[in-house]
Amino acid sequence: MAARAYWKGQIRLALVSIPVEIYSATKSGAAVSFRQIHEPSGKPVKYEKIVPGIGAIDHDDIVKGFELSKGNYVLLDEEEIEAVKLESKRTLELVQFVDTDAIDVLYYTKPYYVVPADELAEEAYIILREALKRTKKVGLGQLSMRGQEQLVALRPCGRGLVLEVLRYADEVNKAANYFRDVGNDKPDADLLDLAETLIAKKSGAFDASDYHNHYIDALKRVIAKKAKAKGKRVLEDVEEPPETGRGSNVIDLMAALKASVDGKKKAPAAEEEKTPARKAPAKKAPARKRA
């Protein structure tokens, strides 16, 4: 079945309009879904829409309301909400262009593929794509999707364009509130060199297929065991990495970094801690006196 367009409209750059369709670039990964179960009966728990003093109600009788004051609501149906006039409803106007690395990663939320709506739109689409590549810029604009006006960025991606939904400024917590107590001292030069060597050693091209969700596999394994356990608890033993302990000094950090660069599993300092202490040599028996 062909993918369904998430949004249809046009990208506008000054007097140029490009009809496009937008498709979700991501999908839900592997997951294990659980139901809430009433343990005594073994039956699934269901939820009902309840109005105090009235009881269960029909879903068709529900509308959206905005609370003006306590207990006082303004009611709106779907048609009234859809009728809200926004120019960005079917048009993405590119109002600004910034460098590709100018937007902090904290602002990105979700990517979408943008494709030309027809052959007539393809020429202008390709020109915009190549212009963004050559200038190394990202286009910014606002777009109404699913009842909200989103801040978005448009960037080239291979032969196409990718639209990325961004968070607004008031949706991002200020980093200073969390990092103000972190020291700003310059690190030891030797330690920094070792850390850079370790990073270089582990550097490579990113390939998402190299990574796998091991938790889902483990969870499915536990479910399979539980199904055969006839009600008995099933707990798997998990090997946790050894704790390095807090308050390790610079010597321990130096040893750990060196061991990491050399490819050893444990730092020498940690190995020394686990090495049993040598027994003191036994005292020699006193020499026998000659008769």
Side-chain angles (χ1 to χ4, degrees):
M1 187 176 70
R4 183 179 178 183
Y6 188 83
W7 182 90
K8 293 182 180 181
Q10 60 184 1
I11 296 173
R12 190 164 67 197
L13 176 58
L15 299 177
V16 179
S17 295
I18 310 171
V20 296
E21 295 178 351
I22 293 177
Y23 297 85
S24 179
T26 59
K27 59 183 179 181
S28 300
V32 175
S33 298
F34 289 102
R35 291 285 303 275
Q36 289 189 327
I37 305 297
H38 180 235
E39 187 175 9
S41 66
K43 295 182 178 180
V45 177
K46 294 185 178 181
Y47 296 93
E48 291 182 326
K49 300 290 185 179
I50 303 293
V51 175
I54 297 177
I57 61 171
D58 190 75
H59 181 76
D60 294 336
D61 293 332
I62 300 175
V63 296
K64 292 182 179 179
F66 179 83
E67 190 171 21
L68 291 176
S69 58
K70 190 171 181 62
N72 182 25
Y73 299 90
V74 172
L75 305 183
L76 296 170
D77 60 33
E78 292 299 330
E79 290 184 0
E80 291 173 313
I81 295 174
E82 283 293 323
V84 174
K85 300 296 182 182
L86 277 179
E87 187 179 358
S88 61
K89 212 165 191 180
R90 287 287 174 262
T91 301
L92 169 58
E93 182 168 4
L94 301 178
V95 296
Q96 185 184 8
F97 293 89
V98 299
D99 293 338
T100 53
D101 59 352
I103 304 173
D104 195 288
V105 66
L106 293 171
Y107 289 92
Y108 291 106
T109 63
K110 187 173 174 60
Y112 293 87
Y113 293 133
V114 181
V115 299
D118 49 45
E119 292 184 1
L120 294 176
E122 192 169 305
E123 182 181 7
Y125 177 93
I126 292 174
I127 290 173
L128 176 59
R129 180 195 69 196
E130 293 305 307
L132 290 173
K133 283 184 179 180
R134 291 175 62 175
T135 58
K136 297 181 179 179
K137 297 290 184 180
V138 175
L140 297 179
Q142 287 177 286
L143 178 66
S144 180
M145 292 194 299
R146 300 291 171 91
Q148 291 188 0
E149 189 175 45
Q150 306 278 11
L151 175 63
V152 298
L154 189 71
R155 66 173 65 241
C157 177
R159 294 164 61 182
L161 293 168
V162 166
L163 179 141
E164 294 178 277
V165 177
L166 305 177
R167 294 181 176 91
Y168 286 101
D170 59 357
E171 297 178 286
V172 177
N173 292 325
K174 292 183 178 179
N177 295 336
Y178 301 89
F179 301 147
R180 62 163 58 96
D181 295 330
V182 179
N184 197 30
D185 298 335
K186 289 186 177 181
D188 181 85
D190 292 336
L191 292 175
L192 189 58
D193 288 342
L194 281 170
E196 290 177 355
T197 302
L198 180 59
I199 290 173
K201 185 178 180 180
K202 290 182 172 289
S203 295
F206 172 70
D207 185 354
S209 62
D210 291 339
Y211 299 88
H212 182 68
N213 192 335
H214 301 291
Y215 176 75
I216 296 297
D217 292 340
L219 194 55
K220 288 180 178 178
R221 189 168 60 245
V222 170
I223 292 172
K225 288 181 180 179
K226 183 72 173 182
K228 299 176 181 179
K230 298 181 180 180
K232 295 181 181 178
R233 295 190 74 196
V234 175
L235 297 176
E236 288 197 333
D237 293 329
V238 179
E239 292 185 4
E240 295 287 350
E243 292 186 7
T244 57
R246 296 189 180 186
S248 58
N249 55 29
V250 175
I251 297 175
D252 295 332
L253 181 57
M254 176 72 79
L257 284 171
K258 284 184 176 179
S260 299
V261 170
D262 294 339
K264 295 180 181 179
K265 291 184 178 179
K266 296 176 182 176
E271 290 176 351
E272 289 176 6
E273 290 178 4
K274 294 197 173 183
T275 303
R278 294 181 180 177
K279 294 182 179 179
K283 294 181 180 179
K284 294 182 179 179
R288 294 181 180 178
K289 294 181 181 179
R290 294 182 180 180

